[in-house]
Amino acid sequence: MSDLSAFPITRKWPAADPGVIQLYAFPTPNGVKASIMLEETGLPYEAHRVTLSDADVKSPEFLSLNPNNKIPAIIDPNGPDGAPIGLFESGAILIYLAEKSGRFIGTTATERAHIIQWLMWQMGGLGPMLGQLGFFYKFAGSQIEDPRPRDRYIAEARRLLAVLEQRLEGRDWVCDAYSIADIAIAPWVRTLDFYGAREVVGWDELTNTRAYLERFLARPAVQTGLNTPPREG
Ligand SMILES: N[C@@H](CCC(=O)N[C@@H](CS)C(=O)NCC(=O)O)C(=O)O
């Protein structure tokens, strides 16, 4: 029987089954990367809803696992060397789960390097820039009269999406096969719809990207992962 009592987060979000991976998340573009990966690999896990409110992400219990107060985070009771391990940062979680399961990270060193390259492109570029686009286009920043921040993030989103569009020419997935790079990238592409920002980034011209998103959303593991943990309840 695994003992997770050394992790204070389990006091606020108790583990029903401490022997399986504990996921702390909310169904945002970063949160669903972890849940989709867990669904794709079939690794047993238990999902805990951690909302983006300060009462959750800034609680001492959550901060004990992620001092950066952001979802997703996980605890694997059967980490390397058999000891439990806690992890935050969605990219790190994807690499960890890929290595643990031996899936979605390529089969050669070259494939693996390219998959990590595109994962980092999402972590350092597409995610942060689309996140800022959402803030300045849909959320509180849309009230700001100065058009420069909004224009800057629209232009940056268009530039990054053009990179993706070109990469997808003649390909189903960003690398040779479906991988953690897709699990990181596609949820952010999907979020353009939620932001009401498709038109402003020239969505209609992004033929490859639109087909890519459809392929991704057709996967059963993606459909489950997108609603895990549920938003309400
Ligand atoms: N680089 C982090 C970003 C995570 C992130 O931005 N999470 C957001 C939700 S998508 C969050 O938890 N926000 C809560 C807050 O900022 O208080 C990752 O990829 O895990």
Side-chain angles (χ1 to χ4, degrees):
M1 184 70 174
S2 304
D3 178 10
L4 297 182
S5 60
F7 292 87
I9 193 167
T10 60
R11 289 180 215 142
K12 189 168 166 73
W13 290 277
D17 182 354
V20 301
I21 294 173
Q22 304 293 306
L23 168 68
Y24 306 91
F26 197 71
T28 67
N30 287 318
V32 299
K33 292 179 206 169
S35 49
I36 290 171
M37 182 62 175
L38 286 161
E39 288 292 329
E40 292 281 12
T41 56
L43 289 166
Y45 74 103
E46 184 178 336
H48 304 274
R49 184 175 49 256
V50 176
T51 71
L52 307 189
S53 71
D54 286 359
D56 278 357
V57 285
K58 292 194 179 156
S59 64
E61 292 89 349
F62 187 77
L63 291 172
S64 70
L65 183 59
N66 184 358
N68 195 40
N69 65 269
K70 297 203 183 279
I71 59 93
I74 63 166
I75 300 173
D76 181 359
N78 304 301
D81 310 320
I85 183 174
L87 279 177
F88 60 88
E89 280 296 323
S90 57
I93 293 170
L94 287 176
I95 293 171
Y96 175 77
L97 295 174
E99 285 177 342
K100 184 180 175 82
S101 62
R103 302 200 55 205
F104 308 118
I105 195 158
T107 51
T108 66
T110 302
E111 276 174 22
R112 179 191 156 85
H114 285 143
I115 288 165
I116 291 178
Q117 167 188 270
W118 282 99
L119 173 64
M120 294 303 149
W121 177 80
Q122 184 284 311
M123 293 297 295
L126 189 73
M129 292 303 119
L130 293 195
Q132 296 301 327
L133 173 67
F135 179 79
F136 285 105
Y137 194 74
K138 178 179 167 103
F139 299 113
S142 63
Q143 308 302 318
I144 295 169
E145 283 179 22
D146 186 338
R148 282 172 294 183
R150 201 160 32 253
D151 289 351
R152 173 177 164 76
Y153 292 114
I154 290 171
E156 193 56 6
R158 290 183 80 107
R159 188 190 67 78
L160 287 158
L161 289 164
V163 172
L164 180 62
E165 177 71 10
Q166 190 187 29
R167 174 65 183 177
L168 289 170
E169 185 64 41
R171 293 174 177 275
D172 279 355
W173 304 109
V174 166
C175 293
D176 291 347
Y178 180 69
S179 74
I180 54 173
D182 303 298
I183 295 174
I185 291 168
W188 274 103
V189 173
R190 170 179 179 259
T191 296
L192 288 166
D193 190 25
F194 174 62
Y195 290 164
R198 278 186 166 179
E199 202 179 328
V200 81
V201 299
W203 182 250
D204 285 352
E205 290 98 71
L206 299 173
T207 323
N208 299 333
T209 306
R210 281 176 13 225
Y212 169 71
L213 182 59
E214 271 179 36
R215 259 189 306 279
F216 181 73
L217 295 176
R219 295 180 71 90
V222 170
Q223 288 164 15
T224 307
L226 285 174
N227 295 302
T228 306
R231 209 158 257 277
E232 315 280 343

